[in-house]
Every structure is written in structure tokens, then in C-alpha cells.
Amino acid sequence: MTILENAALVLRCFGNNCTDLTVSEVSERLGLPKASASRLLKSMRETGMLEEIGGSRRHRPGRMMLNLSAAFRYSSGVIGRARAAVHELSQAFGHTGYVSIRDNRQVLAIADFEGTNALRVGASIGNKLPAERCATGRSLLARLAPAEVALLYPDGPIAERLAPQLDRIRRTGYALSSQETTPGVDGLAVAVGDPVTSEAVSLCLVYPHNLVSDAERNAMIDAMIDSAGGIAEAVGDPLFRAAAERRVPA
Amino acid sequence: MTILENAALVLRCFGNNCTDLTVSEVSERLGLPKASASRLLKSMRETGMLEEIGGSRRHRPGRMMLNLSAAFRYSSGVIGRARAAVHELSQAFGHTGYVSIRDNRQVLAIADFEGTNALRVGASIGNKLPAERCATGRSLLARLAPAEVALLYPDGPIAERLAPQLDRIRRTGYALSSQETTPGVDGLAVAVGDPVTSEAVSLCLVYPHNLVSDAERNAMIDAMIDSAGGIAEAVGDPLFRAAAERRVPA
DNA sequence: ACAACCGTTCCAATATTCGAAACAATTATC
DNA sequence: GATAATTGTTTCGAATATTGGAACGGTTGT
């Protein structure tokens, strides 16, 4: 086991309700001898990967990580464009917007833009959501071939519920969720991808269920598909489809 | 030289106009043999510290870094409170706000909140600014004893220019900058710190120079000192001083 | 098709890392 | 405030990973 692998395992402990770690916690969570855990954290401290909180024995990621996440977010052409697009959309409609990527069966917001409306949905990045249970996630899943989706969800029930939803997204070009993750909150999502890097991102707007008329929602859908279409054209996404039937009442 | 140090050196390459790296670039920038650079990046890829962009030979920080920076930002009580406070301030006044920390002679924004006004200052986190040349930085420097500041700035001229400015900040409780870093942009900053972890953060609002009246600016100063004072009380900051003379015209 | 460049793999020598146990320092309990 | 319990650090030989040089595939551009 190289020290780099162990270091990565330590870093992976962070992020899910875990903002700091001690030597013993690392020793226990990774099953390492105390001695090794102690030396490992020491080395990581010295390299700046970790830093001590105050003068205590608690460790958190070093501040270098702030630069790294910034580098990640700007390294992708699609991501940069998506950020700009969602920022505009968020300002135009006053609702909170996200840019998200999919990581296996989860989606991860990599940028958020708080809305300007008095009543708007709070934004928080870095959290993971199950892909099959939000508009953002489904918009990204809909870019996969049905066979790939089946591979990702071997458990029957989920796949069965998912298939018609994804079909609809593929036809209409956008994904919708209504009070799914959070009561009172609806979401709209459209996905684009870069064929070169094969990275796909989802543009998403979230808004209060009761405050948005059908007309406004349609306007948002149009605007999102427009924006995403621009990105798709710029990066040459062959999978992007502008919605055809979206104005036909359900 | 342990592999961990080299890995950290690679990670440090990112962030300053550098979002991705190749084997040769790493080899050159760190002065490593090609072989070592190749193996190093391979290991870092396998552990998730890096990932390949598309199928190319370019590497960027792995997406794990998104979680890490989130963990960093939430690991501190002051930071969390400061985020909430600046978010409120930003919404209340419509101007863009920042939360920043100092790293030696630089300041680093760790959270940003875009303003809602039509004309507002763009926000971007992850960038570093010289501490002595922005309100945020000076508000943090003012928390140091004069001797510590002198230690940080051994070069005479800077220290001389800085001393009276910091004095004023210590007396009034807030820092001001006018068209300093960016033409047409003014900034207001107030710093608070946690005596337990000895972490200090700066709350900052930036706004268009020509669009803010003296009255509004004073209102902002009051609100910021109020918010920061609440944090200072909560965490028990002994250095925080509410402004006494700030309404006295200069 | 060729050349130039970039990235990967092999090798033995070297340096780091490993785990157990003793040691030190902190925190908790009485 | 003393003792016990927990947590973190250091030491050691043995085991293992890392190192740089050179030779080997692959890609790119002319």
C-alpha cells in the first residue's frame, strides 16, 4: 500500500458530514495502526494537504484545496460555459441555479447561483444527491444509452420507474422534478456534454412550486434549452436535442 | 524526497492560470526525470487526486477536491458564521460580498455572494490578492500587533504606508478601499476571529464607487460591524472592537 | 513515410515505509 | 489535584516502495 493511496483514503473521509479528523479516527476508519496514522497525518500536514485546526489535534483539508477545486471547475470548457449560462439564467428569472456533474449514481453541484427573488431556494454546493431522484440527475442519465442505464441500476424497480422518465427527457430535451427532493420546490434541468472530453454537465434552475406559472415555466424551459443549445453547438455535442414537443400540453 | 511531497508540489502547480498539466510540464516545472513524473501522475490518477481530461494526456485535480474544499469551508465555526452573515449583507444591500482569510501576505476569498443590483461587482473565488492592497487584507492585518506586521513586511516603505492605515482600522473597526484594486470599485471590510482556533476571517462588501452615497456606505458599515460583532460575541473574539468614531466625519 | 516528441516500462540501488511496542502527552474521572 | 484512561509520538529492524537512466511504444506534425 503506497503512502499516496493512504493519503487519498484520508482525503476521501472528508466531505460527508465530516469536516475534520483526528489520528485515532483515521486509524479506526482506515484500519491502520496508530503509528502509521500518526505519521501519515504528519506528512500530510507538512505537505499542506492537511492543516491543524487551531492548535488542536483535529485536521482538516489544507487551504490548497480551495485552489484545486477552483482549477477543477475552470478546467473544462463545458463547465465554464455552463457556469456563465446558469448565472445568466439565474439572474434573468431570479431563481437559484446549479451546474452539476454526475458521478456514477450521484450528482454533484459544482457551481451555484443564488436567485434574487425574495422567496428563493437556498443554494449549497458540494452536496451529493441520488441521480435518479432529481431533475438534474435524470437529465444526465438521459444522455446514456438505455443499456448503460440498466448497467448502472441493476436493481429492477428503480430501472423500471426510470426508463419512461428518461425517454420523455430524451424526447423533450429537458427534465422536470416537482417537490421531489424538497417539499415545495420544483426543478428544471437540461444537460449538455463535450464529446471531446466526454464530460456532461447539467444546467438546472430550482424554484418555489407555488410561485411559478405555466407560462413562466415554459419561458424558463425555452431559455434553458436555448442556452444549452448554444453550448452544445460551441462544443459540438452530438447528443443534445432541442425539445420538439415541449409545448404540447401533457 | 517522499512521493507525498512531490504529489503536493504537483497540486500546488494548479490554480494560478493553470487548470491542467501534462507529464512533460510536471517534469519541467518540478525538475523531475520524465520517468518519475510519469509514474507520479499515474499514481495520483489512480488515487483520484488527479484525473485525465477527456482521453487526452492532460491532467487536472480530481473531483474529490470539490468535497475537500467544501470540508475546509465548513470546518470552522467563524467561517460558517461569516458565510451566513455576508450572505445576508449581500442580499440586504444588493452588493457582492466576500469571506476571506489571510495566508501570510496574501488574502484568499473562500466564499463569494454575487450582488443582486443591476450594476454590481463580479465575484470570483480562489484568487489571491496582496493583503496590504485591499480592504479585506488590511482588516485582517489590523488584527496583528504592530510588531507582527513589521515582521511580515520587513521592507520599509510598505510598512510605513501601512501603519497609519492599520491604526485607523483598529480605532474605527472597519477597513475601506476606494478604486484600489479595480477602477470604479470600492470595498468595505470588517474582520473577526476565533480565539480558540486563532482563525480570523474578513467580511467584505464591494460596490461601484459612483453608485453609493455616504448615507448608504454608513448604513453598510453599521450593518457589517453589527453582524461581525454578533460573530465576535458568539465565538468570544477579544480583539473585535465595535467602531466608536466612525460617524465622526473625516 | 519519416522524424520529433511525448509518455511508459524495465532494472538494480537506494530510501522510505511498515507494524509492534515502549514512551509521552493529553483528557477524563474520582 | 492525583490517578486512570485515552490519544498521539517515537524507535527499531524488516519489508517495501521509489528513484533515475535508458530502452521501448505511441502519437503528432511535416
Side-chain angles (χ1 to χ4, degrees), chain B residues 2 22-24 34-35 38 42 57:
Chain B
T2 94
T22 65
V23 169
S24 333
K34 277 186 314 182
S38 173
K42 183 182 180 184
R57 260 166 306 277

Side-chain angles (χ1 to χ4, degrees), chain A residues 211-229:
Chain A
L211 254 64
V212 170
S213 64
D214 286 2
E216 189 187 348
R217 196 184 59 221
N218 280 331
M220 283 196 279
I221 294 174
D222 285 356
M224 290 178 75
I225 291 184
D226 256 25
S227 296

Side-chain angles (χ1 to χ4, degrees), chain B residues 50-104:
Chain B
L50 297 182
E51 62 185 38
E52 275 184 318
I53 302 184
S56 73
R57 260 166 306 277
R58 309 204 67 81
H59 296 72
R60 69 170 166 209
R63 54 190 67 185
M64 123 198 320
M65 301 306 169
L66 295 171
N67 280 333
L68 294 175
S69 76
F72 176 87
R73 285 200 292 263
Y74 290 109
S75 70
S76 159
V78 242
I79 294 178
R81 287 170 205 268
R83 287 175 62 91
V86 172
H87 182 231
E88 271 180 36
L89 289 165
S90 165
Q91 293 292 321
F93 292 98
H95 300 306
T96 296
Y98 286 98
V99 177
S100 308
I101 55 178
R102 186 177 59 87
D103 198 3
N104 236 297

